Amino acid sequence: MIEFLPLKKITEKYASEIHEAVSKVVDSGWYLQGVEVEAFEREFAQYVGVRHCVGCGNGLDALTLIIRAFKIMGILQEGDEVIVPANTYIASILSVTENGLVPVLVEPDENTLEINPSLIEERITQRTKAIMIVHLYGRNAYSPKIGELCAKYNLKLIEDCAQSHGLEAKGSTPYYIYKAFSFYPTKNLGALGDAGAVVTDDAELAKIVRALGNYGSGTKYVFDYQGKNSRLDELQAAILRVKLRHLDDANRHRKEIADYYYKNICNPKVRLPQYTDENVYHIFPVLCEKRDELQAYLKEQGIQTLIHYPIPPHRQKCWQGTVMEQYINAKLNLPLTDRIAQQELSLPISQVITMDEAKCVVEKINVFSD
Ligand SMILES: *Cc1c(COP(=O)(O)O)cnc(C)c1O
């Protein structure tokens, strides 16, 4: 069987280095706020090319803490609006609502599946204070047009980088840098548990985020904010340091597989998003009107696929009884987001899938007919 993402195999690829790193932490007797976290923060900031990295508990916390810090800095207030892509994982939107801000969902571009920059300006109001872009599937969602809007309306740009580790290396540099990363095990850079980080050039925000993740404390036993406990631990940091060293190689392999898919998938029923060089291929999405049939057929052929995501955020029950319910369900018509949820299928891609397996995936897709 061709697994969608064989995590066990991925960990095995780095097993000896991981075991060594883990043993070192276990034997050290120091498990939080130690040398591994400090080293990872320094190495990851350098990798991204930004001054500050603050480790935290997970990707949702990274996003949430950026917005919390902006509130403390007086830049965002409850009730302010944040532009977010409608086609995203729900965590992007939860970070906005959790902070009492209002998400304004914008449809994607049909060809890129990323937020459509030309639909943003018409949604900007007096209350709009930020744009959150999500580099969904590993594609660069930033465009100069978004930078221009941020400058014109004095908006903060927040980047959800949970699916785009390594994308920075390709020169997509927005003017403002507030990046939230998740190191959930399946991500391009994945821990063996939950982990996340905020990466920014803004020293003040970095300091506040660090305090917020540590009960609101910058100095021991002094609490400046009502914070929470969201810290990166030494074990995960040590594991991430190992995997960071291999990230570029892993992304190169993903790209080889993706290039093969782009060159060879040829079936009028299966559509690929527009090709772009600025892509670390966290997910390889295809669109098919008979998506469920395609998925069932591939499963019969021994090929495992997933859907990202079958129910879009605005169709979720979780908003019931909140101010969001009326806002999200009644006022918004998001046909393209709905269509993507019905047609998207994610093909196997990772640093361990072989070219022979990719060939098999292509062969089966090319003879699919419903
Ligand atoms: C995974 C993911 C998150 C959340 O990360 P966690 O570490 O699971 O909290 C946020 N946004 C996107 C786009 C993601 O894919």
Side-chain angles (χ1 to χ4, degrees):
M1 196 198 36
I2 302 177
E3 253 183 279
F4 178 75
L5 187 74
L7 267 186
K8 191 168 146 71
K9 228 191 240 175
I10 292 173
T11 305
E12 271 163 16
K13 192 174 161 74
Y14 314 114
S16 62
E17 284 176 84
I18 288 176
H19 283 297
E20 195 184 322
V22 166
S23 294
K24 213 168 108 190
V25 174
V26 170
D27 295 343
S28 77
W30 193 279
Y31 308 117
L32 281 164
Q33 294 174 307
V35 292
E36 294 293 337
V37 169
E38 204 182 301
F40 174 72
E41 288 179 343
R42 190 174 55 243
E43 288 160 8
F44 194 61
Q46 190 174 22
Y47 178 81
V48 178
V50 171
R51 269 195 288 273
H52 308 281
C53 170
V54 182
C56 63
N58 55 65
L60 173 58
D61 280 356
L63 286 164
T64 306
L65 291 175
I66 290 175
I67 298 176
R68 273 288 288 285
F70 278 140
K71 283 164 70 184
I72 287 167
M73 292 160 83
I75 291 166
L76 296 180
Q77 286 179 3
E78 290 196 9
D80 283 347
E81 293 173 2
V82 180
I83 304 272
V84 289
N87 177 39
T88 184
Y89 183 58
I90 197 159
S92 321
I93 297 170
L94 282 175
S95 71
V96 176
T97 55
E98 202 173 301
N99 273 294
L101 278 72
V102 181
V104 175
L105 307 191
V106 171
E107 285 261 79
D109 177 309
E110 182 167 24
N111 299 313
T112 69
L113 311 181
E114 305 297 327
I115 192 167
N116 186 339
S118 59
L119 298 179
I120 294 176
E121 192 162 18
E122 66 200 53
R123 305 295 301 282
I124 292 175
T125 71
Q126 295 282 344
R127 313 207 68 169
T128 310
K129 294 290 153 54
I131 298 176
M132 180 184 291
I133 56 173
V134 181
H135 302 296
L136 197 72
Y137 306 136
R139 298 176 67 104
N140 178 23
Y142 179 76
S143 73
K145 176 146 193 175
I146 292 175
E148 283 160 26
L149 290 173
C150 287
K152 183 171 170 190
Y153 295 97
N154 192 25
L155 309 176
K156 291 292 177 193
L157 182 68
I158 301 165
E159 293 173 78
D160 181 340
C161 300
Q163 303 192 358
S164 63
H165 316 75
L167 188 67
E168 293 69 27
K170 298 185 177 176
S172 54
T173 2
Y175 186 66
Y176 310 99
I177 296 181
Y178 299 101
K179 294 174 190 279
F181 286 89
S182 162
F183 306 117
Y184 183 80
T186 61
K187 310 294 190 186
N188 288 35
L189 178 57
L192 303 188
D194 276 315
V198 171
V199 174
T200 181
D201 270 328
D202 184 333
E204 190 189 355
L205 180 124
K207 198 171 156 204
I208 295 172
V209 165
R210 189 177 294 286
L212 284 174
N214 190 33
Y215 310 106
S217 171
T219 310
K220 204 168 184 185
Y221 302 126
V222 179
F223 301 92
D224 299 322
Y225 319 109
Q226 291 181 49
K228 57 159 125 190
N229 179 354
S230 182
R231 299 181 295 221
L232 177 61
D233 67 67
E234 289 285 289
L235 277 172
Q236 299 305 338
I239 292 162
L240 287 168
R241 289 183 72 197
V242 168
K243 292 184 81 178
L244 178 58
R245 293 199 285 271
H246 299 286
L247 178 58
D248 286 342
D249 275 340
N251 282 343
R252 246 191 304 278
H253 186 74
R254 284 173 183 271
K255 187 170 160 43
E256 270 171 33
I257 298 296
D259 283 345
Y260 184 80
Y261 283 160
Y262 265 103
K263 276 209 194 83
N264 296 286
I265 290 176
C266 179
N267 183 329
K269 296 195 163 66
V270 178
R271 204 160 61 78
L272 308 190
Q274 203 171 69
Y275 183 84
T276 169
D277 245 351
E278 294 185 306
N279 195 341
V280 292
Y281 298 103
H282 174 60
I283 299 284
F284 193 94
V286 301
L287 299 173
C288 177
E289 276 177 34
K290 297 278 163 80
R291 189 264 316 274
D292 294 344
E293 286 86 341
L294 177 60
Q295 184 173 40
Y297 158 81
L298 288 173
K299 188 174 171 207
E300 268 168 35
Q301 304 297 319
I303 298 167
Q304 193 185 26
T305 57
L306 291 179
I307 296 165
H308 296 89
Y309 298 91
I311 306 170
H314 70 286
R315 300 258 172 223
Q316 299 290 350
K317 265 215 294 252
C318 60
W319 312 114
Q320 271 174 16
T322 73
V323 287
M324 284 321 119
E325 181 178 19
Q326 173 200 4
Y327 187 82
I328 286 184
N329 290 331
K331 285 198 201 158
L332 281 174
N333 183 21
L334 301 164
L336 190 48
T337 300
D338 284 330
R339 181 143 61 84
I340 291 169
Q342 284 155 15
Q343 297 188 354
E344 195 274 347
L345 190 69
S346 306
L347 304 185
I349 194 161
S350 73
Q351 62 267 61
V352 295
I353 182 174
T354 65
M355 201 44 95
D356 282 344
E357 287 173 320
K359 279 182 185 153
C360 173
V361 172
V362 169
E363 273 168 29
K364 302 299 182 194
I365 287 180
N366 286 353
V367 297
F368 167 72
S369 61
D370 50 87

